Amino acid sequence: MNLRPIVAGNWKMHKTPTEGASFVETTVNLLLDIQHVSVIFAPPFTGLFDMDVPPPFYSAAQNCHWEEKGAFTGEISVSMIQECGAEFVILGHSERRHVFGESDDWINRKVKAVLAGDLKPILCVGETLDQREAGQTELVLKSQLEQGLASMDSLKEIVIAYEPVWAIGTGVTANNEQVELAHTSVRKILKELYPESYNIHVLYGGSVKPGNAEELIQVPGVNGFLIGGASLDVESFTSITRTVETVQMRTL
Ligand code: 13P
């Protein structure tokens, strides 16, 4: 299995539409020769509209509601995201889970709505520091995957992002062994849940930077990155993407 790697930038609540458009234009121009990596920009909703990027560049929303329309103040539906030309939707990010109290049941509804709208969910899972220290990492991953992916027809179009909560925005990266073990667990759990789920991307996220990208992308089971802080800066984001491209080219 040699999946085409994904480098996705989750901008969180950063960049106005103008700043975002200018960032994307500069970055795409610097990466025009990229051939072996898919690059995703995930701006806030306001920056999604009219973000016109040609493959291998794609855009993603950072969240959505599962209903098609209705009295849900502050929410955005899948068809609204579709019309902006996005291909992916990040779901279950740890900030959605821990800051905004999203439940696995909500996340499951969102995953289904996104797939029904022919978009691709990037489902985030990961343990907190307390859970890791209590030896519950695999248990947490299993529970998040089991509930988040409950009663689906297939996992064909799903991307999973393993993001240990303690590594997000902290500058602390999970070490290679921790990443490999977690990715192995994710794959094992997916296989148990959906035996035909053999070619699913599992991305790593949590303090990915130009300085650690080369090492992390070579950890077995890592098919790319979901990047926060370092995705906001043209130089670091392009440098990480180039590193992933170079490593991928060596394997072809
Ligand atoms: P950082 O790369 O800033 O740690 O954020 C990771 C993340 O949350 C991406 O979704």
Side-chain angles (χ1 to χ4, degrees):
M1 178 182 61
N2 190 2
L3 292 174
R4 181 188 171 91
I6 292 175
V7 173
N10 174 11
W11 297 358
K12 309 190 180 183
M13 199 171 74
H14 292 281
K15 298 192 191 295
T16 65
T18 313
E19 289 165 350
S22 148
F23 177 90
V24 168
E25 193 187 347
T26 312
T27 308
V28 167
N29 279 328
L30 287 169
L31 294 174
L32 279 179
D33 57 318
I34 289 291
Q35 289 183 27
H36 304 289
V37 179
S38 300
V39 180
I40 304 176
F41 301 101
F45 289 131
T46 48
L48 259 192
F49 186 68
D50 236 10
M51 184 190 272
D52 192 15
V53 282
F57 302 95
Y58 303 91
S59 59
Q62 297 177 17
N63 186 21
C64 71
H65 195 275
W66 58 85
E67 292 290 349
E68 181 45 38
K69 59 173 95 149
F72 301 104
T73 302
E75 295 291 328
I76 302 275
S77 77
V78 172
S79 59
M80 294 168 190
I81 293 167
Q82 261 175 345
E83 203 173 305
C84 292
E87 293 251 348
F88 295 87
V89 184
I90 298 172
L91 295 173
H93 190 276
S94 77
E95 286 141 25
R96 299 299 321 166
R97 293 176 188 267
H98 299 292
V99 183
F100 298 101
E102 286 200 11
S103 66
D104 284 300
D105 171 54
W106 283 19
I107 294 163
N108 180 243
R109 292 184 206 206
K110 294 177 182 206
V111 170
K112 288 177 178 158
V114 166
L115 287 172
D118 288 329
L119 299 183
K120 298 173 184 136
I122 302 177
L123 173 63
C124 304
V125 294
E127 79 289 357
T128 62
L129 188 57
D130 285 351
Q131 290 166 332
R132 172 162 285 271
E133 286 174 351
Q136 295 169 342
T137 300
E138 182 158 352
L139 214 67
V140 171
L141 296 177
K142 189 169 177 14
S143 152
Q144 291 176 342
L145 288 167
E146 230 166 46
Q147 296 182 66
L149 300 173
S151 52
M152 321 248 317
D153 294 334
S154 115
L155 298 190
K156 221 171 69 211
E157 300 293 349
I158 287 185
V159 175
I160 305 291
Y162 168 62
E163 299 205 308
V165 180
W166 48 274
I168 295 178
T170 56
V172 179
T173 316
N175 66 37
N176 293 359
E177 194 190 347
Q178 291 168 323
V179 174
E180 183 170 353
L181 272 174
H183 281 236
T184 304
S185 297
V186 166
R187 270 183 216 289
K188 189 183 93 193
I189 297 160
L190 291 176
K191 198 112 197 116
E192 282 164 12
L193 293 174
Y194 295 92
E196 79 290 4
S197 64
Y198 47 86
N199 59 352
I200 305 241
H201 282 83
V202 184
L203 313 182
Y204 169 75
S207 298
V208 175
K209 300 180 271 282
N212 58 25
E214 181 166 4
E215 199 178 331
L216 284 167
I217 196 62
Q218 294 182 79
V219 173
V222 173
N223 308 118
F225 298 132
L226 183 56
I227 309 165
S231 77
L232 299 172
D233 176 68
V234 171
E235 210 175 307
S236 16
F237 191 64
T238 52
S239 156
I240 294 169
T241 307
R242 282 212 174 278
T243 298
V244 174
E245 167 96 349
T246 308
V247 171
Q248 176 69 357
M249 279 170 72
R250 277 193 231 135
T251 70
L252 297 174

